Amino acid sequence: MTKIVIIGGVAGGASAAARARRLSENAQIVMFERGPFVSFANCGLPYHIGGEIKERNKLLLQTPESFLARFNVDVRVMSNITAINREAKTVTVHNLIDGSEYQESYDFLLLSPGANPIVPPIPGVDNPLTHSLRNIPDMDKILEVIALNKPEHATVVGGGFIGLEMMEAFHRLGIRTTLLEMADQVMAPVDREMAGFAHAEIRSKGVDLKLGVALQGVEFVANEHVTALDAGENTAHQHLEGQLHLTLSNGETLTTELLIMAIGVRPETTLAKAAGLRIGELGGIWTNTAMQTSDPAIYAVGDAIEEPDFITGNPTIVPLAGPANRQGRMAADNMLGRHETYQGTQGTAICKIFDLAVAATGKNEKQLKRAQIAYEKVYVHTASHASYYPGAELVSFKLMFEPHTGKILGAQAVGKDGVDKRIDIIAVAQRAGMTVEQLQHLELTYAPPYGSAKDVINQAAFVATNLMKGDAKAIHFDEIDHLSSDQVLLDVRNPGELKNGYIEGAINIPVDQLRQRINELPKEKEIVIYCQVGLRGNVAYRQLVNHGFRARNLLGGYRTYAFAKA
């Protein structure tokens, strides 16, 4: 009888336990969790704090009792594994309830310890009003501070998924919020110009967004009536009443009553290191494609591991629930005699930011540059469904591809509707090995309430294929402010559109008048064309090159330029 011991529940560990039982009734499966909850929806924690998920028990996906009843898995919560003895094939278990310690044997061991929040050594950050959010006890502490301290202002440090979701939760609760991000953008999986749409949305909701600003110091000041209490009455609850004075890297100071540290997470590798397991170059547990560590009897999955990047094949760390679930299932298969291999992580992700969705898959432009991978990019801004049908919203879409083969490298999308659909399509196309040329031929559902006859994906593919065939020549937003004396900027929008913004120094000739006024343009210079989103610019481009002009079209038009520069 095979005995499988699993360290850590949630996505990876719980998936492995359930899969192992479905494959074998005879296997003995023991799962240890150092916290009180074995399987919970950690992605849902901010939404319970903000009130969208009303009932706390909705976050509890499985209990030890339900796991035993359905899967016959021996789940032991409040049990911390303090050591792995690889030679004896045992783990040392510390019972956090009674303090006892014992050994548990295994045939196969699965590590699913997750990741820990990064809290930098900032002076004063260890105080009763500063919290991270990683599990249900963390969530409960934050809710306790909100109930007792009744904060009028909260500060979130970090513009990643958790930081953005906590920012929105506080906004829903009527708590004024400052969001600090040390980088020049939130939502690192997308590029700066696409994050610009999120920045505009955040600020439109009244959130104080500070980009390029770091937290440097924290001072906790208890409320006067609390400090006046004698020591006997000064309970833990009363310690929650007070304020924090924050010192920022831009010289500002800020007073807040609740501080969330959401800078990011790092793999939990303490046990693995102590056991002598190989740690990868990025700091996660090394695994092969079967999810085995450097010890063939020990497997590892989830946020703690390094996994192969789908595009480059290089090690990457992607703390997402989807990959963790698939890895857990695959590890269980392989422990029980199957031969599954992990096919790499694309990093497909989406985040709700008030009324916007921001999503990405594959590599972003920053990563492609770092990896020195040749790429081209296109932008389209088009309606989520037929524009004449009520409720159509603009989808801003960026597609990156290999300029000679058309291999899909990555995509990003921002909008109020239909963003998940488009990124999911690209994620599937990328995994299937499709090219941008093949994307032109995708036949997607169309009816006015749901889509367009030429979907966002088709349109991006048309633009990309035009570039590859030489039917179009592009210029990008970051080149516009550096034109030479050999170039002329042409705005082909209608004059009424200019009141909403324009690029300095441009000649304005509406596209519908261009044929009649083409002689106003100097034929000896390159004409750099822009319109609102790039579509009319392409029409003007074709007219000009067919008349013998040299020309380039600003991809994504003024919309991309404006949000990139905002």
Side-chain angles (χ1 to χ4, degrees):
M1 181 173 67
T2 302
K3 182 175 180 182
I4 297 172
V5 169
I6 298 170
I7 301 175
V10 197
S15 295
R19 176 64 173 172
R21 177 58 69 220
R22 289 196 297 272
L23 292 178
S24 169
E25 265 304 303
N26 298 322
Q28 183 183 354
I29 307 169
V30 184
M31 183 158 58
F32 293 101
E33 173 59 52
R34 70 178 153 206
F37 304 101
V38 65
S39 181
F40 61 92
N42 52 359
C43 297
L45 302 177
Y47 298 106
H48 178 60
I49 293 172
E52 289 105 322
I53 299 172
K54 302 291 183 190
E55 299 172 42
R56 180 176 177 274
N57 63 8
K58 296 283 188 189
L59 300 172
L60 306 177
L61 306 179
Q62 293 281 357
T63 64
E65 295 75 22
S66 69
F67 238 108
L68 181 63
R70 179 165 295 181
F71 296 111
N72 191 24
V73 171
D74 179 4
V75 177
R76 304 178 198 174
V77 295
M78 303 303 291
S79 297
N80 187 33
I81 308 300
T82 58
I84 300 169
N85 185 334
R86 289 165 53 190
E87 287 186 15
K89 282 194 167 183
T90 62
V91 295
T92 304
V93 187
H94 177 217
N95 186 318
L96 296 175
I97 296 173
D98 62 15
S100 64
E101 207 168 78
Y102 62 94
Q103 304 294 311
E104 189 75 32
S105 65
Y106 65 83
D107 294 313
F108 291 108
L109 179 64
L110 177 69
L111 302 180
S112 180
N116 291 324
I118 297 170
V119 180
I122 296 170
V125 77
D126 186 12
N127 65 73
L129 301 182
T130 298
H131 296 271
S132 298
L133 180 61
R134 193 65 183 157
N135 52 39
I136 288 193
D138 291 344
M139 178 188 77
D140 291 340
K141 289 174 188 171
I142 292 168
L143 287 169
E144 184 183 22
V145 172
I146 292 171
L148 289 167
N149 208 28
K150 296 180 174 55
E152 294 181 2
H153 185 277
T155 299
V156 178
V157 181
F161 292 98
I162 295 293
L164 292 167
E165 289 160 2
M166 285 305 302
M167 168 200 72
E168 185 170 350
F170 291 143
H171 183 270
R172 277 182 59 88
L173 295 172
I175 299 170
R176 290 184 297 108
T177 306
T178 294
L179 177 63
L180 303 178
E181 171 52 62
M182 192 162 65
D184 64 351
Q185 67 167 90
V186 302
M187 190 75 180
V190 303
D191 291 310
R192 174 67 176 76
E193 72 277 16
M194 300 300 284
F197 299 106
H199 299 158
E201 177 75 4
I202 291 166
R203 289 181 168 128
S204 76
K205 301 297 183 184
V207 173
D208 177 23
L209 173 63
K210 296 182 186 293
L211 298 171
V213 176
L215 177 64
Q216 290 190 328
V218 184
E219 181 189 3
F220 172 65
V221 180
N223 286 350
E224 286 185 18
H225 78 275
V226 174
T227 55
L229 295 172
D230 64 47
E233 296 177 273
N234 202 358
T235 66
H237 279 188
Q238 288 158 340
H239 275 135
L240 295 177
E241 299 180 53
Q243 292 181 330
L244 299 174
H245 298 318
L246 310 182
T247 305
L248 309 183
S249 62
N250 62 356
E252 294 181 20
T253 57
L254 186 65
T255 299
T256 195
E257 292 134 316
L258 176 54
L259 178 62
I260 302 295
M261 299 299 293
I263 290 171
V265 296
R266 63 166 56 96
E268 170 53 86
T269 58
T270 308
L271 264 180
K273 284 179 179 175
L277 297 177
R278 179 179 167 187
I279 302 300
E281 59 192 50
L282 301 178
I285 301 169
W286 177 90
T287 58
N288 63 18
T289 56
M291 310 315 304
Q292 285 172 305
T293 67
S294 52
D295 182 329
I298 302 177
Y299 291 71
V301 300
D303 295 0
I305 73 163
E306 292 184 11
E307 59 227 271
D309 179 87
F310 181 77
I311 300 296
T312 65
N314 297 328
T316 186
I317 295 176
V318 182
L320 292 172
N325 273 281
R326 297 196 306 278
Q327 291 159 5
R329 174 188 173 93
M330 195 167 296
D333 280 1
N334 291 335
M335 288 178 190
L336 292 168
R338 299 196 175 189
H339 302 284
E340 300 291 335
T341 57
Y342 188 66
Q343 304 294 316
T345 298
Q346 292 164 277
T348 307
I350 190 167
C351 186
K352 177 182 180 295
I353 304 176
F354 298 111
D355 296 330
L356 279 188
V358 182
T361 191
K363 310 305 285 180
N364 59 39
E365 201 173 340
K366 300 183 291 282
Q367 292 166 332
L368 291 171
K369 286 177 179 174
R370 279 200 298 271
Q372 297 183 321
I373 295 172
Y375 69 94
E376 181 56 273
K377 59 184 176 181
V378 298
Y379 302 88
V380 294
H381 305 279
T382 192
S384 56
H385 61 246
S387 56
Y388 55 81
Y389 186 89
E393 297 285 355
L394 206 58
V395 175
S396 295
F397 186 82
K398 178 180 183 179
L399 178 66
M400 282 147 295
F401 58 96
E402 206 282 326
H404 301 296
T405 65
K407 176 184 176 181
I408 299 165
L409 298 174
Q412 301 161 28
V414 183
K416 295 183 179 181
D417 181 49
V419 165
D420 53 345
K421 169 181 172 178
R422 273 67 188 209
I423 290 298
D424 285 343
I425 290 168
I426 293 294
V428 172
Q430 185 179 59
R431 194 163 282 270
M434 293 178 67
T435 64
V436 292
E437 195 277 333
Q438 291 170 320
L439 288 182
Q440 295 179 106
H441 306 291
L442 285 185
E443 194 171 322
L444 305 173
T445 54
Y446 165 56
Y450 302 107
S452 300
K454 288 189 292 188
D455 189 79
V456 177
I457 301 292
N458 300 123
Q459 293 199 37
F462 295 152
V463 178
T465 307
N466 281 343
L467 290 181
M468 290 180 66
K469 290 179 176 177
D471 291 339
K473 192 173 180 183
I475 191 168
H476 291 295
F477 70 89
D478 50 356
E479 301 171 82
I480 288 292
D481 292 340
H482 309 288
L483 299 184
S484 71
S485 57
D486 186 46
Q487 294 170 304
V488 171
L489 189 58
L490 173 64
D491 184 338
V492 296
R493 298 176 299 167
N494 295 323
E497 296 176 72
L498 273 59
K499 67 179 183 293
N500 295 319
Y502 57 90
I503 302 172
E504 290 285 348
I507 299 168
N508 178 225
I509 303 177
V511 67
D512 293 340
Q513 300 175 19
L514 186 57
R515 279 189 184 87
Q516 289 73 41
R517 299 176 57 184
I518 202 164
N519 291 332
E520 296 177 26
L521 296 171
K523 210 157 189 176
E524 72 279 5
K525 295 192 176 186
E526 182 180 67
I527 312 301
V528 175
I529 310 157
Y530 80 92
C531 64
Q532 188 62 22
V533 298
L535 187 60
R536 286 172 290 176
N538 185 58
V539 173
Y541 171 86
R542 292 308 310 168
Q543 282 186 35
L544 287 173
V545 296
N546 287 339
H547 280 86
F549 284 82
R550 291 182 296 127
R552 294 165 80 187
N553 182 29
L554 174 61
L555 295 193
Y558 182 73
R559 179 174 171 83
T560 296
Y561 175 88
F563 278 95
K565 297 293 181 181

